Amino acid sequence: TVHKFSRGSNNYFPQYKLMDLSRKLLGQWMFEKLMKMTFYGQFVAGEDHNSIKPLIRKNEAFGVGSVLDYSVEEDLTQEEAEKKEMDSCVSEAEKESPGADHREKKYKAHRQFGDRRGGVISARTYFYADEAKCDIQMETFINCIKASGGASNDGFSAIKMTALGRPQFLLQFSEVLVKWRRFFNFLAAQQGKSQMTVLEQKLELEQLKESLTELGVGAKDDIENWFTGEKLGLSGTIDLLDWNSLINDTTKISNLLMVPNLQTGHLEPLLNIFTEEEERQMKRMLQRVDILAKHAVENGVRLMVDAEQTYFQPAISRLTLEMQRKFNREKPVIFNTYQCYLKEAYDNVTLDVELSRREGWYFGAKLVRGAYMYQERARAKEIGYEDPINPDYEATNRMYHKCLEYVLEEIEHSRKANVMVATHNEDTVKFTLDKMNEMGLSPTENKVYFGQLLGMCDQISFPLGQAGFPVYKYVPYGPVNEVIPYLSRRAQENRGFMKGSQRERSLLWKELKRRLLAGQIIYKPVY
């Protein structure tokens, strides 16, 4: 299992070895020229924000927009990646007293899965070095946002939270959020409401206060104060969204990392101690996220927060949600990503839509199937926790369509939600078009977008763009040598997509024959 799924080092990829050999034989200049004519040229737009402009303009001529994605990835060996991950995911308290905390194994770093590149499809991976490196990566994202704003009127820019701070905080905060949600489920079961859907579970407030007092979770006066906010408890009940709002950034961020212990009945810190530097690292991650959101607003760009592994994702989603609450007041600027191969995807979508509805901000979502399936499955099995992934592709398909239909219904109802249908699946695209037609959702309303990767599934993207639908290509860019590590993994992991290229080839031959017979060798776009 370890070697099959932790093979992040480029030494594991035969095509990377081939590229390395080509570089030595041809020399750097000729190698780069060859890459631009072939592999790199197919999947990457260019080396910097100036060189990508011609491709962006060409795509826009066909009605296809861009999601700019600076796709540079560090060229690390597997051993280097594992060391960086362990150093950045283990706190000082854990190093001093291993096993003395209240952590769960899912939310702790494990060396055999320390190289997060293994078994991953189409996702860049960032490893933490230090705070200065995070600042550099933030500046890179700012440049990407500015490039997106300068290249088109309605572009997106993609960011990854693991590039913006020490992942230790994401692990810890994710565990806290999951434990508080589990505690809510425990209290709902006490009130006989465990069979209800997640949004139907409303706890009777007086009964809840009694339960918390009996469990010893805080003094009676403290519990009373918890529920005296303007919105809490006015109806005599409290649901999961109200409950989530209790986890609030008040003074120190380490106060967020308190969890209920059902055995002792007390609130206790997730770790025995938080150093001042760890506290500062957490705050700096939040500050970087805030700076990027402000730059997105200033440049008229929408910010797409990519999804990551399930042990980071609860924190990533919560931080993205806080950005949406702040910046999505007038229009959708911040978009969260929902991975529909997860068993909990529908619950997550419905909760976030309901929160946006209550608070009156614009919900923005990108729906994907998911990029980390093999790695997630192997990690769950090896370490010993429940597999978070749906059992098969059909179940994931159903989940994707269920989440999509829910968001489309919200758009129909309020016109305040927005969704990017990020898929290479033609059936899902047809499903979306049919639903839009049924609901009377016009493509010109710019509420439903479609997304595909650059260099793939052009037979979906360009007809949609020509027909007037908002469609976007995920546009990777960056220097040849620095993008090759990411690209080499993508080729390895996306072998399944290459089977689909037979369809593209047949369509290309069909179009070529049509043009030859019609005497239309040169095609001029209508836009």
Side-chain angles (χ1 to χ4, degrees):
T1 304
V2 174
H3 287 291
K4 188 177 179 186
F5 293 101
S6 298
R7 49 186 173 79
S9 162
N10 289 318
N11 300 328
Y12 283 84
F13 300 117
Q15 71 273 27
Y16 190 83
K17 286 184 177 178
L18 184 64
M19 288 178 197
D20 210 31
L21 181 63
S22 302
R23 188 188 283 112
K24 286 171 185 169
L25 290 173
L26 297 171
Q28 187 61 34
W29 183 85
M30 186 59 79
F31 171 75
E32 288 190 15
K33 195 84 175 163
L34 180 66
M35 283 291 102
K36 286 176 182 177
M37 289 167 63
T38 55
F39 191 46
Y40 176 95
Q42 173 72 8
F43 297 110
V44 184
E47 299 210 59
D48 55 42
H49 61 272
N50 284 319
S51 64
I52 65 177
K53 284 180 181 175
L55 182 137
I56 290 170
R57 288 196 202 101
K58 189 178 99 176
N59 282 355
E60 282 187 337
F62 290 90
V64 177
S66 299
V67 181
L68 292 196
D69 188 15
Y70 193 71
S71 298
V72 166
E73 190 176 276
E74 223 176 337
D75 188 10
L76 299 172
T77 65
Q78 184 179 353
E79 291 68 32
E80 286 168 339
E82 286 171 359
K83 184 179 187 311
K84 282 196 170 189
E85 187 73 351
M86 296 308 292
D87 288 347
S88 62
C89 286
V90 181
S91 69
E92 290 304 314
E94 288 174 282
K95 286 173 188 172
E96 287 173 18
S97 311
D101 52 43
H102 310 286
R103 305 289 307 282
E104 286 188 17
K105 49 194 172 185
K106 177 175 179 177
Y107 300 98
K108 294 182 87 162
H110 298 269
R111 185 172 288 279
Q112 67 267 47
F113 293 95
D115 187 347
R116 287 182 276 113
R117 297 169 298 183
V120 173
I121 296 171
S122 303
R124 285 163 298 119
T125 307
Y126 289 93
F127 293 96
Y128 180 85
D130 51 38
E131 292 298 298
K133 183 79 180 285
C134 292
D135 285 333
I136 290 167
Q137 283 164 179
M138 179 187 72
E139 288 299 326
T140 298
F141 287 147
I142 289 170
N143 291 335
C144 190
I145 290 165
K146 287 177 179 174
S148 188
S152 63
N153 299 323
D154 57 353
F156 285 89
S157 190
I159 66 166
K160 256 184 155 55
M161 288 280 187
T162 46
L164 297 172
R166 193 172 176 189
Q168 175 198 328
F169 172 51
L170 295 176
L171 277 175
Q172 291 168 353
F173 194 30
S174 289
E175 183 172 358
V176 167
L177 292 167
V178 167
K179 282 186 170 175
W180 275 98
R181 185 158 167 176
R182 208 179 287 155
F183 188 39
F184 180 88
N185 294 339
F186 166 80
L187 295 165
Q190 275 196 338
Q191 295 193 13
K193 298 181 178 181
S194 56
Q195 299 305 311
M196 295 179 179
T197 66
V198 69
L199 277 169
E200 287 173 341
Q201 291 178 341
K202 297 181 190 297
L203 304 184
E204 302 300 324
L205 198 53
E206 291 309 313
Q207 198 177 333
L208 172 61
K209 288 177 185 175
E210 284 174 25
S211 295
L212 292 174
T213 307
E214 283 170 21
L215 284 166
V217 181
K220 195 166 186 178
D221 289 346
D222 292 336
I223 293 165
E224 278 293 334
N225 291 335
W226 277 4
F227 302 107
T228 53
E230 286 180 31
K231 296 177 185 174
L232 291 181
L234 295 178
S235 62
T237 61
I238 179 170
D239 66 11
L240 185 56
L241 290 177
D242 298 324
W243 182 259
N244 285 343
S245 69
L246 295 173
I247 307 168
N248 207 358
D249 183 7
T250 48
T251 51
K252 298 186 78 175
I253 291 181
S254 51
N255 291 350
L256 288 172
L257 305 178
M258 299 288 289
V259 290
N261 184 326
L262 295 182
Q263 278 71 47
T264 63
H266 295 292
L267 279 179
E268 54 195 25
L270 200 64
L271 296 167
N272 295 330
I273 56 164
F274 291 92
T275 67
E276 284 186 15
E277 177 54 26
E278 284 171 343
E279 181 84 20
R280 283 194 295 270
Q281 286 168 354
M282 294 176 196
K283 281 186 175 165
R284 281 197 289 259
M285 178 184 265
L286 301 179
Q287 285 163 357
R288 290 182 191 111
V289 170
D290 198 60
I291 288 166
L292 290 175
K294 284 172 180 167
H295 275 281
V297 171
E298 285 166 17
N299 287 274
V301 171
R302 289 162 290 184
L303 211 56
M304 194 78 80
V305 181
D306 285 345
E308 304 194 43
Q309 286 87 349
T310 51
Y311 42 90
F312 294 140
Q313 193 56 45
I316 291 169
S317 287
R318 179 61 183 254
L319 297 178
T320 307
L321 198 69
E322 293 304 324
M323 284 163 64
Q324 288 180 316
R325 293 171 108 162
K326 186 174 178 181
F327 295 101
N328 284 13
R329 289 282 161 193
E330 306 296 324
K331 59 182 180 179
V333 175
I334 311 297
F335 281 66
N336 197 5
T337 302
Y338 296 87
Q339 300 181 102
C340 295
Y341 66 7
L342 296 179
K343 293 171 183 173
E344 61 177 29
Y346 183 74
D347 283 352
N348 292 339
V349 169
T350 54
L351 277 168
D352 292 353
V353 167
E354 173 61 23
L355 186 66
S356 71
R357 201 183 286 153
R358 285 185 195 182
E359 296 182 346
W361 44 267
Y362 284 78
F363 176 79
K366 178 177 74 167
L367 297 183
V368 298
R369 278 173 173 77
Y372 304 96
M373 183 178 77
Y374 300 112
Q375 186 188 100
E376 291 274 15
R377 284 225 159 109
R379 192 178 188 271
K381 186 177 179 183
E382 179 88 1
I383 293 164
Y385 55 88
E386 187 190 346
D387 183 353
I389 310 289
N390 285 320
D392 51 43
Y393 184 76
E394 287 69 32
T396 292
N397 239 15
R398 287 193 297 274
M399 179 66 84
Y400 193 107
H401 288 190
K402 188 178 178 185
C403 292
L404 175 56
E405 194 165 8
Y406 187 86
V407 180
L408 289 174
E409 284 169 0
E410 179 62 15
I411 295 170
E412 182 188 28
H413 170 70
S414 73
R415 292 303 199 267
K416 288 191 87 168
N418 286 245
V419 65
M420 176 174 278
V421 184
T423 182
H424 293 144
N425 186 302
E426 289 187 30
D427 290 335
T428 297
V429 172
K430 287 172 186 168
F431 174 86
T432 311
L433 296 175
D434 288 344
K435 287 289 170 191
M436 288 177 72
N437 197 36
E438 281 173 30
M439 295 173 172
L441 288 177
S442 165
T444 56
E445 289 186 58
N446 220 28
K447 303 287 183 189
V448 182
Y449 323 108
F450 296 88
Q452 286 88 40
L453 290 167
L454 183 72
M456 295 171 68
C457 291
D458 289 351
Q459 81 276 11
I460 293 176
S461 311
F462 287 95
L464 282 172
Q466 291 266 274
F469 286 88
V471 59
Y472 293 83
K473 284 292 195 184
Y474 239 73
V475 176
Y477 71 101
V480 175
N481 283 329
E482 294 175 55
V483 175
I484 288 296
Y486 160 64
L487 271 183
S488 66
R489 288 191 307 103
R490 205 171 110 180
Q492 175 78 3
E493 304 301 345
N494 283 359
R495 283 173 298 180
F497 279 133
M498 300 317 287
K499 293 171 188 170
S501 67
Q502 290 173 348
R503 172 161 169 73
E504 291 188 44
R505 252 197 323 272
S506 68
L507 288 169
L508 284 168
W509 273 113
K510 190 176 173 184
E511 175 63 6
L512 187 59
K513 286 173 191 171
R514 185 194 70 76
R515 290 193 195 182
L516 285 167
L517 291 169
Q520 297 175 331
I521 302 300
I522 297 170
Y523 179 79
K524 290 183 180 176
V526 294
Y527 281 77

